[in-house]
Amino acid sequence: SLTLNNNNRYESLYNASANLNLNTSKKYATWNNSVSNTYLEFTGGTASPANTIFYIKKSGTWTISCNLRVTDGETSNRALFYMELNRFIGTGTTTRGTSVYDYNFGSSAYYRDLADAYDSLNLGGQIVLNLTEADITAGCQIEISTHRLDAQTTYQDINIDPTVSSILIEHSTWSLS
């Protein structure tokens, strides 16, 4: 039979000290919690890229679930956003390596206006990466980025709510018995 082994888990809320404004052409997500173990390395904080890059150290199946929510936007104009998981060949958590692929989380969000009934949005999804020993030997880094496709106004804030925006990263291996 095939058995799933959950080996490691990281979860964190968005870093409230970071720039929360989603209304930028490209934004890198920062997270509160740091981790450093044989599976994963990440330093929580507010600087980019020093506090946006996860360094993956183990092969296997990695599931990355991310949810970024705006609960009270401050602009009265329209905008459209999407979110990606960016994968790099590199080591460590302070310098981005060579870009490998940008995985779209499969959602985009349309922001309408300042009226309370319409000024929220959610970017969310899940990516599964199956990483080999060769991937780990080469060096594997990931980070979450958001992108603004269109905006009626670019100078007003559409802030991420750090109390309900989160990331979950899980490592699993499979065994046959």
Side-chain angles (χ1 to χ4, degrees), residues 7-153:
N7 302 109
N8 193 270
R9 177 184 177 109
Y10 167 87
E11 57 187 311
S12 182
L13 289 174
Y14 199 85
N15 191 309
S17 300
N19 176 359
L20 301 174
N21 188 14
L22 191 62
N23 197 11
T24 59
S25 60
K26 184 171 188 177
K27 178 178 189 53
Y28 296 100
T30 61
W31 308 98
N32 283 333
N33 300 339
S34 297
V35 61
S36 183
N37 58 39
T38 58
Y39 293 88
L40 187 65
E41 187 176 324
F42 177 76
T43 304
T46 61
S48 176
N51 303 113
T52 63
I53 298 170
F54 290 89
Y55 173 41
I56 296 177
K57 302 191 240 179
K58 286 279 188 188
S59 62
T61 301
W62 287 87
T63 305
I64 301 97
S65 303
C66 186
N67 184 57
L68 297 177
R69 283 188 61 199
V70 171
T71 55
D72 189 17
E74 299 172 12
T75 179
S76 58
N77 295 297
R78 297 176 169 114
L80 183 62
F81 304 94
Y82 70 97
M83 182 170 63
E84 290 180 330
L85 176 112
N86 311 114
R87 183 172 163 213
F88 306 95
I89 294 174
T91 58
T93 61
T94 58
T95 304
R96 286 180 195 95
T98 304
S99 179
V100 174
Y101 195 78
D102 297 328
Y103 300 86
N104 191 300
F105 271 93
S107 70
S108 61
Y110 177 71
Y111 177 89
R112 183 170 174 186
D113 62 33
L114 184 58
D116 286 342
Y118 307 110
D119 67 355
S120 301
L121 67 86
N122 187 72
L123 291 171
Q126 183 178 76
I127 303 287
V128 177
L129 297 176
N130 291 302
L131 300 175
T132 65
E133 284 297 328
D135 294 325
I136 300 307
T137 300
C140 184
Q141 300 169 315
I142 60 170
E143 74 182 333
I144 307 296
S145 63
T146 60
H147 306 263
R148 183 187 62 221
L149 288 173
D150 296 305
Q152 195 172 354
T153 301

